[in-house]
């Protein structure tokens, strides 16, 4: 059986085509309560393959590393563990089958039944096969409950999908269902349950999603440029497009050009924003935040409203800086800009 797993709702890759500068960063999830709860246990997950998922969830927790070190510690409350001056919690949750579809269809393949030699087929025959294609879609909803208070610290729903396909010669699968043009279709509407292994494959694809939402990680970030200048004078300056183009192969040259353009056009929001992106890529987050905010004010003065791309840069960097402050506190490091 050949199995293919597909993550649903995958993050869009449009940012890859947007001009900007990539840099390595320390990414902290938005839900800092989950990040701060580093002593955890794993309880029940109700639903199909619940016990299997709980076991795999604990493995994911145990292997979640940051800077090469484990981020979480498994705390066994059933063994008498009592938290001392630390936030602790337990992960539990539910699993649901969102959809299941199975289709039987026939196909004919040509097989060699007599060989004259290696790679030299003397006689071929047509072989009829009955094939089965199954697709299952699942959801997993983990919850983090604070030890002692019972307060809900984190909850989110993640979706996964898996497909399998197999064929057998001269074999007819007689399961109840409805006739289709290709063969027999059946699934949840016919009361047929998906194979346990296929459910596990679909659930496995949710674990990395959960890990990215509950623990910090080192990731490649991108400080993006605005590729259009709303000020027609700035847009007509050839250096604007040249600076955008230079970012791909020589970010240093690009940032030098943005500094020159900033001197020439101090009130141009696109220029101010893009110089802020240069500061962000060099990890001067305070300086970048200041320029993004200034660019937002300039766009209001020029166009009567904040440019949405500038607003996104400002919001994104604000959230990123808050996450770094949490991370520095948890690691006992001095606060950064």
């Amino acid at each position: 059986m050949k199995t293919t797993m597909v993550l649903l709702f995958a993050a869009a890759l449009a940012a890859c085509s947007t001009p900007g500068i990539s840099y390595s960063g320390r990414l902290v999830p938005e839900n800092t309560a989950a990040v701060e709860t580093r002593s955890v246990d794993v309880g029940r997950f109700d639903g199909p393959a619940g016990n299997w998922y709980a076991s795999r969830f604990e493995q994911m927790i145990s292997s979640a590393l940051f800077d090469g070190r484990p981020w979480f510690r498994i705390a066994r409350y059933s063994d008498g563990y009592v938290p001392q001056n630390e936030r602790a919690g337990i992960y539990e949750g539910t699993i649901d089958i969102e959809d299941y579809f199975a289709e039987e269809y026939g196909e004919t393949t040509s097989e060699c039944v007599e060989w004259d030699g290696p790679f030299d087929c003397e006689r071929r025959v047509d072989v009829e096969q009955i094939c089965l294609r199954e697709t299952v879609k699942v959801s997993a909803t983990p919850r983090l409950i604070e030890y002692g208070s019972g307060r809900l610290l984190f909850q989110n729903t993640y979706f996964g999908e898996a497909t399998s396909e197999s064929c057998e010669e001269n074999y007819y699968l007689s399961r109840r269902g409805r006739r289709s043009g290709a063969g027999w279709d059946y699934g949840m509407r016919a009361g047929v349950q998906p194979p346990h292994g296929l459910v596990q494959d679909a659930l496995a694809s949710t674990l990395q999603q959960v890990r990215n939402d509950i623990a910090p990680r080192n990731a490649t970030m991108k400080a993006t440029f605005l590729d259009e200048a709303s000020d027609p004078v700035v847009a007509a300056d050839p250096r604007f497009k040249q600076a955008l183009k230079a970012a791909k192969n020589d970010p240093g040259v690009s940032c030098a050009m943005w500094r020159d353009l900033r001197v020439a056009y101090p009130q141009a929001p696109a220029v101010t924003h893009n110089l802020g992106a240069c500061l962000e890529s060099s990890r001067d987050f305070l300086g970048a935040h200041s320029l993004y905010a200034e660019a937002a004010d300039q766009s209001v003065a020029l166009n009567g409203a904040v440019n949405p791309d500038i607003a996104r840069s400002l919001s994104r960097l604000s959230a990123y800086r808050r996450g770094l402050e949490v991370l520095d506190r948890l690691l006992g490091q001095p606060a950064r800009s």
Side-chain angles (χ1 to χ4, degrees):
M1 178 179 289
K2 187 167 57 178
T3 302
T4 304
M5 291 180 291
V6 180
L7 292 180
L8 296 181
F9 309 115
L13 299 179
C16 294
S17 60
T18 304
I21 302 175
S22 298
Y23 65 97
S24 59
R26 297 154 69 83
L27 191 59
V28 180
E30 183 177 350
N31 189 310
T32 57
V35 176
E36 294 174 287
T37 309
R38 303 181 65 182
S39 293
V40 294
D41 199 356
V42 178
R44 286 178 52 87
F45 278 83
D46 296 321
N51 291 337
W52 177 89
Y53 192 73
S55 175
R56 290 294 299 271
F57 197 97
E58 182 171 316
Q59 292 177 24
M60 179 271 292
I61 289 286
S62 300
S63 61
L65 304 179
F66 181 69
D67 287 345
R69 297 182 179 182
W71 184 255
F72 298 106
R73 181 168 67 89
I74 299 298
R76 300 292 185 197
Y77 305 130
S78 58
D79 293 341
Y81 169 78
V82 178
Q84 300 293 331
N85 301 319
E86 62 177 342
R87 175 183 285 174
I90 182 169
Y91 280 100
E92 58 184 32
T94 57
I95 292 168
D96 291 296
I97 305 297
E98 299 294 325
D99 194 17
Y100 171 54
F101 175 80
E103 176 189 25
E104 295 175 7
Y105 62 95
E107 69 176 20
T108 301
T109 62
S110 177
E111 293 186 6
C112 184
V113 295
E114 185 177 341
W115 296 87
D116 272 351
F119 310 108
D120 184 6
C121 181
E122 174 67 19
R123 186 166 68 91
R124 306 184 72 89
V125 297
D126 290 337
V127 177
E128 293 185 355
Q129 294 183 323
I130 294 297
C131 300
L132 175 65
R133 181 187 298 117
E134 298 173 278
T135 299
V136 64
K137 298 179 181 180
V138 302
S139 65
T141 305
R143 297 183 296 270
L144 175 60
I145 308 299
E146 186 175 34
Y147 178 85
S149 71
R151 184 164 58 105
L152 179 65
L153 299 177
F154 172 84
Q155 177 174 295
N156 201 5
T157 299
Y158 302 87
F159 298 90
E161 177 178 328
T163 298
S164 69
E165 188 170 0
S166 61
C167 298
E168 295 190 29
E169 296 180 10
N170 301 321
Y171 178 69
Y172 184 73
L173 299 175
S174 56
R175 298 189 187 180
R176 57 199 176 114
R178 52 185 172 80
R179 187 73 175 175
S180 74
W184 288 93
D185 295 340
Y186 54 91
M188 293 181 67
R189 283 170 291 186
V192 180
Q193 294 300 311
H196 195 67
L198 194 60
V199 173
Q200 291 178 350
D201 287 344
L203 287 171
S205 68
T206 69
L207 292 169
Q208 186 61 42
Q209 302 174 60
V210 180
R211 184 260 177 264
N212 289 345
D213 277 355
I214 64 175
R217 67 186 191 276
N218 293 297
T220 299
M221 316 286 288
K222 188 172 186 180
T224 58
F225 290 148
L226 299 187
D227 57 5
E228 293 185 3
S230 53
D231 187 328
V233 176
V234 178
D237 191 321
R239 291 178 296 173
F240 189 89
K241 293 298 183 183
Q242 291 168 3
L244 290 174
K245 185 178 296 186
K248 183 175 183 180
N249 297 318
D250 199 333
V253 170
S254 178
C255 289
M257 296 181 71
W258 292 123
R259 285 192 290 271
D260 291 342
L261 286 166
R262 167 77 166 167
V263 174
Y265 308 106
Q267 300 302 317
V271 172
T272 302
H273 173 277
N274 290 354
L275 182 57
C278 286
L279 296 186
E280 179 187 342
S281 68
S282 64
R283 298 178 183 78
D284 180 359
F285 302 125
L286 181 60
H289 191 276
S290 177
L291 286 181
Y292 287 156
E294 184 178 346
D297 291 339
Q298 291 173 348
S299 68
V300 172
L302 185 64
N303 303 308
V306 178
N307 180 304
D309 292 325
I310 296 176
R312 278 190 288 271
S313 292
L314 186 58
S315 176
R316 174 184 53 78
L317 189 59
S318 295
Y320 184 53
R321 292 180 65 203
R322 287 194 299 270
L324 290 179
E325 290 173 357
V326 170
L327 186 60
D328 289 342
R329 174 168 52 80
L330 293 174
L331 297 177
Q333 297 174 349
R336 68 188 73 194
S337 59

